[in-house]
Short mmCIF file of all heavy atoms in Angstrom, two decimals:
data_model
loop_
_atom_site.label_atom_id
_atom_site.label_comp_id
_atom_site.label_asym_id
_atom_site.label_seq_id
_atom_site.Cartn_x
_atom_site.Cartn_y
_atom_site.Cartn_z
N GLN A 480 -1.93 38.72 -41.77
CA GLN A 480 -0.58 38.49 -41.26
C GLN A 480 0.43 38.40 -42.39
O GLN A 480 1.55 38.92 -42.28
CB GLN A 480 -0.53 37.20 -40.42
CG GLN A 480 0.77 36.97 -39.69
CD GLN A 480 1.06 38.05 -38.66
OE1 GLN A 480 0.19 38.41 -37.88
NE2 GLN A 480 2.29 38.58 -38.66
N ASN A 508 -6.88 42.86 -31.27
CA ASN A 508 -6.84 44.09 -32.05
C ASN A 508 -5.45 44.68 -31.81
O ASN A 508 -5.14 45.11 -30.70
CB ASN A 508 -7.95 45.04 -31.60
CG ASN A 508 -8.02 46.30 -32.43
OD1 ASN A 508 -7.05 46.74 -33.01
ND2 ASN A 508 -9.20 46.90 -32.47
N LEU A 605 -2.73 66.10 -19.86
CA LEU A 605 -2.49 66.72 -18.56
C LEU A 605 -2.15 65.69 -17.49
O LEU A 605 -1.31 65.93 -16.61
CB LEU A 605 -3.71 67.54 -18.14
CG LEU A 605 -3.96 68.81 -18.98
CD1 LEU A 605 -5.31 69.42 -18.62
CD2 LEU A 605 -2.83 69.82 -18.76
N VAL A 623 -21.70 53.24 -40.49
CA VAL A 623 -20.85 54.19 -39.78
C VAL A 623 -20.00 54.98 -40.77
O VAL A 623 -19.69 54.50 -41.86
CB VAL A 623 -19.95 53.49 -38.73
CG1 VAL A 623 -20.77 52.98 -37.57
CG2 VAL A 623 -19.14 52.37 -39.36
N VAL A 624 -19.68 56.19 -40.36
CA VAL A 624 -18.86 57.07 -41.19
C VAL A 624 -17.70 57.56 -40.33
O VAL A 624 -17.90 58.09 -39.23
CB VAL A 624 -19.67 58.27 -41.71
CG1 VAL A 624 -18.82 59.10 -42.67
CG2 VAL A 624 -20.94 57.81 -42.42
N SER A 735 -49.63 67.91 -56.06
CA SER A 735 -49.87 69.32 -56.35
C SER A 735 -48.99 69.81 -57.49
O SER A 735 -47.95 69.23 -57.80
CB SER A 735 -49.60 70.17 -55.10
OG SER A 735 -48.22 70.14 -54.79
N PHE A 765 -54.95 48.33 -59.03
CA PHE A 765 -54.89 47.64 -57.74
C PHE A 765 -56.23 47.76 -57.00
O PHE A 765 -56.76 46.77 -56.47
CB PHE A 765 -53.78 48.25 -56.87
CG PHE A 765 -52.42 47.66 -57.10
CD1 PHE A 765 -51.35 48.47 -57.48
CD2 PHE A 765 -52.19 46.30 -56.92
CE1 PHE A 765 -50.10 47.94 -57.67
CE2 PHE A 765 -50.93 45.76 -57.12
CZ PHE A 765 -49.88 46.59 -57.50
N LEU A 766 -56.76 48.96 -56.94
CA LEU A 766 -58.02 49.16 -56.23
C LEU A 766 -59.15 48.38 -56.88
O LEU A 766 -60.01 47.81 -56.18
CB LEU A 766 -58.36 50.66 -56.19
CG LEU A 766 -57.47 51.51 -55.26
CD1 LEU A 766 -57.78 52.98 -55.44
CD2 LEU A 766 -57.66 51.10 -53.80
N LEU A 805 -31.37 51.90 -55.31
CA LEU A 805 -32.46 52.77 -54.89
C LEU A 805 -32.15 53.37 -53.53
O LEU A 805 -31.86 52.67 -52.56
CB LEU A 805 -33.77 51.98 -54.82
CG LEU A 805 -35.00 52.77 -54.33
CD1 LEU A 805 -35.28 53.98 -55.21
CD2 LEU A 805 -36.22 51.85 -54.25
N LEU A 893 -38.38 63.63 -29.37
CA LEU A 893 -37.65 62.45 -29.83
C LEU A 893 -36.19 62.47 -29.37
O LEU A 893 -35.66 61.44 -28.93
CB LEU A 893 -37.72 62.35 -31.35
CG LEU A 893 -39.08 62.02 -31.95
CD1 LEU A 893 -39.04 62.12 -33.47
CD2 LEU A 893 -39.54 60.62 -31.52
N ILE A 906 -39.37 64.27 -19.66
CA ILE A 906 -39.61 65.08 -20.86
C ILE A 906 -40.74 66.06 -20.61
O ILE A 906 -40.65 67.25 -20.93
CB ILE A 906 -39.91 64.18 -22.07
CG1 ILE A 906 -38.70 63.28 -22.37
CG2 ILE A 906 -40.25 65.03 -23.30
CD1 ILE A 906 -38.98 62.20 -23.39
N GLN A 909 -40.14 69.32 -18.82
CA GLN A 909 -39.40 70.36 -19.53
C GLN A 909 -40.30 71.22 -20.42
O GLN A 909 -39.82 71.90 -21.32
CB GLN A 909 -38.28 69.72 -20.36
CG GLN A 909 -37.24 69.03 -19.48
CD GLN A 909 -36.27 68.18 -20.30
OE1 GLN A 909 -35.56 68.68 -21.16
NE2 GLN A 909 -36.26 66.89 -20.01
N LYS A 929 -41.02 48.18 -37.91
CA LYS A 929 -40.76 48.85 -39.18
C LYS A 929 -39.28 49.16 -39.33
O LYS A 929 -38.68 48.94 -40.39
CB LYS A 929 -41.56 50.14 -39.29
CG LYS A 929 -43.02 49.99 -39.66
CD LYS A 929 -43.60 51.36 -39.98
CE LYS A 929 -45.06 51.25 -40.37
NZ LYS A 929 -45.64 52.57 -40.71
#
Side-chain angles (χ1 to χ4, degrees):
Q480 188 63 47
N508 184 333
L605 291 171
V623 290
V624 185
S735 68
F765 274 123
L766 289 173
L805 178 59
L893 290 173
I906 298 170
Q909 296 169 60
K929 281 190 179 181

